Amino acid sequence: MDVSQYLEIFIDETKEHLQSLNEQLLVIEKEPENTDTINEIFRAAHSLKGMAGTMGYKRMQKLTHQMENVFSEIRNGAKKVDANIVDVLFQCLDALEEYLACIQETADEGDNDNEPILKQLETILNGSAPKAQAEVSKETAKESQKVETEEAKEKYKDFVYADFERHAITEAFDKGINVYTITVFVDENCLLKAARAFLVFKSVEGVGEIIKSNPSAQDIEDEKFEFDFSICVVSKESLETVLTVIKNVSEIADAIGEKLESIPGDGKTEDSENKEILPAEDEKKPAAAAAKAAPAKSQTSKPIVNRSVRVDIEKLDVLMNLVSELIIAKNGLVSQSSSEEISQSQAFNEQIEYLERVTTNLHESVMKVRMMPIETVTQKFPRMIRDLSKKLNKKMELYMTGEDTELDRTVIDEIGDPLMHLLRNSADHGLESGEIRVRRGKPEVGTVCLDAYQDGNNVVIEVRDDGNGIDVEAVKNKALDKGSITPEQAAAMSDKEIIDLLFKPSFSTAKVVSDISGRGVGLDVVKTKIEALGGDIEVKTELGVGSTFIIRLPLTLAIIQALMVELGDEKYAISLGSIQIIEDIPVSDIKYVQTKEVVNLRGNVIPIIRLDEVLDIESSDEEESLTVVIVKKGDRLAGLVVDKLIGQQEIVIKSLGKYISNSKIINGATILGDGEVALILDVNTLL
């Protein structure tokens, strides 16, 4: 048995506990008397300590043990939560996250002992519990230990040895090697008893050999024991050495034993004793029932087991690829069925419809498995805003809605950094200082909001603040100073075009470069990442009122519903999520504004984009009317001129790799039913 096989589980569960600690510490900072939260933090620290001990991460175990001690004092009422304690505990969390990052990379916790933090925790502890109380608890512990000692001796005196075990003990006596019977007590708060027992066995094997255990090794591995078990050990070391080795294992409350001078049982073996054991067991039933009463109580308060299974994302990718191939096969059958000979068969068409239903349902099911709530990313932001509030000396609150909105796992993994950039930007650049806000008649506490919601085939995430807003003139002047635009261009630019300059590389309006922002590496990175995910970002701002950054992301990156169109002899796909309406527009309705073609459609002036010109395709001769696909990006509309509509189809997006990396208009490719390849157009880059 190798502990490293639990590494993945350890990493996942540690992340969950650290996130829980983060959230609970934010609560206790505002509600220092909240006993439920204090208990939650104690439990999370205790669990982390146990897990770190099991995996052999001593530094992590030591730090969480001290955290647990601090909260033990707070639970007892010997210590009150104050700002200093909360700050130190947040430092502990940062240190634990550092250990975890190290473990993820190297499977080792590193060599940072975090002595300054441990000293601060020690200082908090030293000024805590009254001595009288400590003395009382020591006396109580001694009394209970006496009882345990008597019980333990009874336990290992009940050992019944099989013939081969007797032979091993006799051989040890002949060679002058010690034989000890030991009972080990596991901490009653221990979560992984079997793991603790395994570590005890492993530790003892370093100083001797275990020839018997009660219960059996298999029962111990299956956790079929209370909080103690007995072992018979053959060792050249002293009893004290063996007991010390056992007690050094984390969450082992105690271990007691004695040296065996002769084999008990007067020649009776395990088989011959079976009948005699049964009455003895029956006599013990009342005591056993009493011992089990306490654990039974605690079991009622156990949380309901989370009905979820962790699945490796690579396995899901394989499943997704199989679904993709199935959809391509289905599309092939659909295109075959359109031929006149086969379309005569009603049974064939019914099978096609059945296959279509199955593939669509299978696709939706796999997509649901790949979906994760956006909360997995946003849950770390309240702590970040709390730290920024202290660092910038600005009062601010973060409000979040729609955390249960779901996104594809691959999108979730990538969206965390861009959102963090935008929130830091709002806190640093957006919100004014408290004095300025009061002068402007605003509340002293600034507001940063993060809202997520689903809109058709997209998920929209908005980051907004009630701060200063973007000073368009300042951005324009900065761009002129840097030579990014000419005075002529500046005069002709709309406010929106000027704001878009903020997304250019190395563009920053910050007057002071800090470690929070102002180096000009924020918004261009944000835009690049979001566009790489097939999404887009836009900004709405009002000077003195605030700014809103709106991110739109596709729900999935693998399979989409698309409109198939023809341009010349080539076929293209346009995502249905972007399409508003399809119009037949007479050529005579097309007007020109600043040499660009537009059409007035029900009061909206919509620019016309000739796809044949953009894609350099020889189009068919112009007719009296044009087929125009009206697409939307945020508030903006545009009309894409196509030669012919083929129809709606479920398509599989295949990456083009590096083949057409220089063209942002092409988002990928898909394989049609007849085996032909069609390119997928990215509407966001056209608008």
Side-chain angles (χ1 to χ4, degrees):
M1 187 174 171
D2 183 11
V3 186
S4 63
Q5 66 181 297
Y6 298 119
L7 187 61
E8 227 169 282
I9 300 168
F10 170 79
I11 288 168
D12 283 340
E13 294 199 357
T14 302
K15 280 180 184 171
E16 285 168 19
H17 284 305
L18 287 178
Q19 185 51 46
S20 167
L21 279 169
N22 241 322
E23 288 166 9
Q24 304 297 343
L25 283 176
L26 288 169
V27 171
I28 209 166
E29 188 172 32
K30 291 177 181 172
E31 305 167 27
E33 303 292 327
N34 190 326
T35 51
D36 288 345
T37 306
I38 289 166
N39 289 330
E40 276 296 317
I41 294 171
F42 176 82
R43 278 195 289 271
H46 181 77
S47 303
L48 272 174
K49 181 191 81 172
M51 286 157 54
T54 304
M55 298 299 292
Y57 298 133
K58 299 287 184 192
R59 292 177 177 87
M60 199 170 177
Q61 183 188 353
K62 192 175 179 183
L63 185 59
T64 43
H65 181 59
Q66 281 293 72
M67 285 173 70
E68 184 189 23
N69 288 344
V70 168
F71 269 90
S72 183
E73 294 294 303
I74 293 168
R75 282 169 90 196
N76 297 340
K79 195 82 184 160
K80 296 281 182 198
V81 176
D82 58 30
N84 176 47
I85 288 180
V86 173
D87 283 343
V88 172
L89 289 168
F90 272 126
Q91 286 179 45
C92 292
L93 281 196
D94 291 340
L96 290 171
E97 280 174 1
E98 206 177 287
Y99 283 140
L100 183 62
C102 221
I103 290 164
Q104 276 181 288
E105 283 179 31
T106 63
D108 184 63
E109 62 183 338
D111 54 6
N112 186 355
D113 288 326
N114 283 300
E115 280 299 329
I117 299 173
L118 289 170
K119 277 177 186 167
Q120 287 182 71
L121 289 170
E122 193 65 46
T123 307
I124 293 168
L125 280 169
N126 287 342
S128 53
K131 283 186 180 176
Q133 188 181 333
E135 293 302 321
V136 170
S137 61
K138 276 182 188 172
E139 289 303 316
T140 315
K142 278 180 186 172
E143 288 302 315
S144 63
Q145 198 173 343
K146 279 180 190 171
V147 176
E148 281 178 354
T149 306
E150 295 309 312
E151 283 179 9
K153 282 182 179 172
E154 288 305 313
K155 282 179 188 293
Y156 56 65
K157 278 178 183 171
D158 289 341
F159 264 151
V160 179
Y161 299 97
D163 284 342
F164 71 93
E165 291 160 350
R166 289 173 167 277
H167 177 70
I169 294 170
T170 308
E171 206 172 291
F173 286 157
D174 292 345
K175 290 179 181 176
I177 301 171
N178 306 317
V179 181
Y180 306 118
T181 46
I182 298 167
T183 296
V184 180
F185 294 91
V186 182
D187 190 317
E188 292 204 1
N189 292 316
C190 178
L191 297 173
L192 299 164
K193 293 187 295 183
R196 292 280 161 250
F198 163 70
L199 285 173
V200 167
F201 277 51
K202 200 168 182 183
S203 302
V204 171
E205 278 163 15
V207 291
E209 189 184 341
I210 298 171
I211 58 169
K212 175 94 179 157
S213 73
N214 186 23
S216 69
Q218 187 58 52
D219 283 350
I220 289 174
E221 193 172 319
D222 296 339
E223 276 200 9
K224 292 179 183 172
F225 68 101
E226 292 300 315
F227 287 96
D228 56 65
F229 58 91
S230 300
I231 51 176
C232 179
V233 182
V234 174
S235 174
K236 290 179 181 177
E237 304 292 337
S238 67
L239 178 61
E240 288 70 28
T241 305
V242 177
L243 291 177
T244 305
V245 164
I246 294 170
K247 288 176 188 175
N248 279 343
V249 174
S250 176
E251 289 195 302
I252 295 301
D254 199 6
I256 53 172
E258 62 184 20
K259 188 175 179 181
L260 203 64
E261 299 297 344
S262 61
I263 305 172
D266 300 320
K268 292 176 187 173
T269 65
E270 200 163 25
D271 295 331
S272 64
E273 281 282 326
N274 275 346
K275 287 178 185 174
E276 290 174 43
I277 292 170
L278 291 171
E281 288 293 329
D282 287 340
E283 283 167 30
K284 284 185 189 176
K285 269 184 184 172
K292 282 181 183 176
K297 274 184 197 171
S298 62
Q299 275 174 353
T300 55
S301 64
K302 268 190 179 178
I304 296 161
V305 176
N306 186 12
R307 293 169 64 87
S308 65
V309 179
R310 285 196 176 97
V311 182
D312 191 328
I313 191 75
E314 286 180 10
K315 290 178 184 170
L316 284 180
D317 287 339
V318 171
L319 188 56
M320 198 64 167
N321 287 336
L322 292 172
V323 175
S324 303
E325 295 302 322
L326 188 58
I327 287 171
I328 291 168
K330 181 257 301 183
N331 289 344
L333 284 172
V334 171
S335 68
Q336 287 287 320
S337 70
S338 60
S339 70
E340 287 179 17
E341 293 169 23
I342 298 178
S343 61
Q344 304 295 324
S345 165
Q346 189 184 346
F348 182 78
N349 285 334
E350 283 173 1
Q351 285 300 314
I352 290 281
E353 284 171 19
Y354 175 67
L355 180 61
E356 193 143 9
R357 282 200 304 277
V358 170
T359 51
T360 303
N361 289 340
L362 182 58
H363 167 223
E364 284 173 4
S365 299
V366 175
M367 279 314 308
K368 281 176 185 167
V369 175
R370 287 177 62 92
M371 293 298 212
M372 285 178 75
I374 202 164
E375 182 184 19
T376 52
V377 173
T378 61
Q379 59 193 5
K380 61 187 174 188
F381 295 149
R383 162 76 194 283
M384 185 186 83
I385 292 294
R386 176 236 181 227
D387 289 351
L388 284 175
S389 176
K390 291 203 162 201
K391 200 166 195 175
L392 298 166
N393 201 21
K394 291 181 189 175
K395 289 182 181 173
M396 59 183 83
E397 284 287 342
L398 174 65
Y399 296 97
M400 299 196 293
T401 62
E403 297 104 312
D404 54 349
T405 307
E406 292 189 323
L407 263 171
D408 189 286
R409 167 69 191 268
T410 46
V411 179
I412 287 278
D413 287 345
E414 295 294 323
I415 197 63
D417 286 345
L419 289 179
M420 192 183 290
H421 269 304
L422 293 178
L423 286 170
R424 290 168 81 92
N425 205 49
S426 288
D428 193 14
H429 291 320
L431 298 179
E432 316 95 325
S433 63
E435 307 85 64
I436 295 172
R437 289 181 68 84
V438 171
R439 222 167 35 240
R440 290 179 175 176
K442 292 182 179 181
E444 188 186 355
V445 180
T447 303
V448 180
C449 299
L450 190 148
D451 306 320
Y453 55 92
Q454 195 171 327
D455 179 21
N457 284 331
N458 292 314
V459 166
V460 181
I461 305 169
E462 293 183 6
V463 176
R464 64 178 192 277
D465 61 71
D466 65 346
N468 190 51
I470 296 169
D471 188 339
V472 177
E473 283 303 310
V475 175
K476 188 196 289 184
N477 294 334
K478 181 82 175 180
L480 284 167
D481 291 346
K482 292 187 71 154
S484 304
I485 54 171
T486 63
E488 293 76 24
Q489 285 173 317
M493 285 172 95
S494 66
D495 284 0
K496 189 179 183 316
E497 286 170 328
I498 292 167
I499 290 166
D500 283 345
L501 291 172
L502 291 170
F503 293 101
K504 299 289 180 201
S506 305
F507 193 95
S508 174
T509 54
K511 293 176 177 65
V512 179
V513 172
S514 69
D515 59 348
I516 296 163
S517 56
R519 294 185 186 277
V521 291
L523 292 178
D524 64 310
V525 173
V526 169
K527 189 174 187 187
T528 307
K529 267 210 166 169
I530 288 165
E531 286 182 349
L533 294 170
D536 68 273
I537 181 167
E538 66 172 304
V539 188
K540 290 180 179 174
T541 186
E542 192 178 335
L543 194 59
V545 177
S547 304
T548 305
F549 289 83
I550 303 163
I551 297 170
R552 277 182 192 78
L553 293 161
L555 273 174
T556 170
L557 302 178
I559 299 167
I560 59 167
Q561 294 288 340
L563 174 70
M564 302 304 299
V565 300
E566 256 183 32
L567 282 163
D569 299 328
E570 296 175 22
K571 291 174 184 171
Y572 290 88
I574 303 167
S575 170
L576 273 190
S578 309
I579 297 172
Q580 284 292 101
I581 196 167
I582 298 166
E583 294 280 343
D584 224 16
I585 296 172
V587 175
S588 56
D589 283 3
I590 292 175
K591 310 293 179 201
Y592 287 88
V593 173
Q594 291 182 348
T595 71
K596 290 180 181 174
E597 288 182 309
V598 297
V599 64
N600 190 331
L601 197 65
R602 291 181 281 281
N604 287 327
V605 177
I606 299 170
I608 296 290
I609 298 170
R610 303 260 183 180
L611 284 180
D612 53 352
E613 291 175 12
V614 173
L615 298 164
D616 196 18
I617 296 169
E618 277 192 31
S619 183
S620 55
D621 295 333
E622 194 162 301
E623 296 173 14
E624 289 179 9
S625 67
L626 301 175
T627 304
V628 179
V629 179
I630 308 293
V631 291
K632 184 178 183 183
K633 173 187 172 184
D635 296 335
R636 283 187 284 172
L637 295 167
L640 308 180
V641 179
V642 300
D643 290 347
K644 188 179 169 186
L645 301 173
I646 299 171
Q648 180 184 335
Q649 195 173 316
E650 193 174 36
I651 63 166
V652 178
I653 301 173
K654 297 284 186 186
S655 170
L656 290 169
K658 295 175 183 174
Y659 295 113
I660 312 184
S661 56
N662 61 336
S663 175
K664 288 190 176 177
I665 303 166
I666 308 300
N667 201 17
T670 188
I671 302 166
L672 302 177
D674 56 3
E676 195 178 337
V677 174
L679 297 176
I680 302 162
L681 298 177
D682 185 2
V683 171
N684 290 333
T685 58
L686 291 167
L687 270 71

